[in-house]
Amino acid sequence: MQSQLNAITYGDTGQNLILLHGLFGSHDNLGTLGRALAKKYRVHLVDLRNHGDSFHAETMNYADMAEDILAYIDKNAQAPVCLLGHSMGGKVAMQVGLLAPEQITALIILDIAPVDYKQYRSGDPHENILQALKKLSLTKITSRTAAGTVLKEYIDSEEVRGFLLKNLRRNADNTFKLCLNIDAIIENYAAILAAPEGESYPHPVLFLTGEYSDYFVPEYQPATLALFPRAHIQMINNCGHWIHAEQPQPVYNAVSVFLSEHYG
């Protein structure tokens, strides 16, 4: 029997709003946005399977991850709820909505489209990251500096290395372990790139895209509107894929307006 997803909640009153992080992330990636939204909503910041402090599993397709969220809602939140997801978390949110539209009254999707990225992109955009994390998982790490040195062999960006280092957990002997289940992520990588599946979702959806990001481009709009006919697509200027980190105030403003109009 699968374990309960790890989550942090903010706000004691208001309707339930569940936030889902992206690949290689954890619940605290959306912490700033979540705490701001907790002024009005009961916000749940969830670690998806094989990430953060949630359980590890061999499979990692969107149907399974959606069932994880539905089980979490059943135990911890009163449906219907609103889901907000970034990147992979956005695809999980879309899949939950497609599977159980009666339980999900609205969706907010940050910079991801409901498409199979294998069909649109050549090569592997995460190849270096996967290699780096695999090496890290096989290395006895005694400090975060040592871990950063391992990652630097594969990843030039200091910002990306810093993001990945948030996945280190300290052991009892003061060494560090990687909380990601990197073997499962590698094994299921094609499923992670895949599109959510189902009939069209009948409720409102806000898609926020980054001006400089290639995760949501005009070519993806037909597939988006086919599954989400009530979608509103809004660009956030002067940012890439990490729109909530690069432009927190415009993202918060857009999310707040959407929630006030469509979620109580």
Side-chain angles (χ1 to χ4, degrees), residues 120-193:
Y120 292 93
R121 296 182 175 186
S122 59
D124 180 352
H126 296 117
E127 180 178 3
N128 288 351
I129 291 176
L130 293 170
Q131 290 179 351
L133 291 173
K134 180 63 177 178
K135 175 71 174 293
L136 196 60
S137 72
L138 296 173
T139 304
K140 185 175 182 179
I141 298 297
T142 56
S143 70
R144 292 184 181 274
T145 300
T149 299
V150 173
L151 296 182
K152 197 171 184 178
E153 297 176 28
Y154 301 88
I155 301 166
D156 293 330
S157 169
E158 184 177 355
E159 182 180 26
V160 173
R161 295 197 303 270
F163 164 69
L164 296 174
L165 288 173
K166 293 181 179 180
N167 290 295
L168 291 180
R169 298 289 186 272
R170 189 183 295 273
N171 295 314
D173 63 357
N174 283 327
T175 60
F176 290 84
K177 66 178 180 180
L178 189 66
C179 65
L180 294 169
N181 185 354
I182 190 61
D183 290 334
I185 291 172
I186 292 172
E187 183 67 25
N188 292 275
Y189 186 67
I192 294 168
L193 293 180

Side-chain angles (χ1 to χ4, degrees), residues 91 114-123 125 190 193-197 219-220 223:
K91 282 190 172 181
V115 300
D116 187 339
Y117 285 89
K118 296 190 303 295
Q119 297 180 3
Y120 292 93
R121 296 182 175 186
S122 59
L193 293 180
E197 298 180 347
E219 186 179 4
Y220 301 159

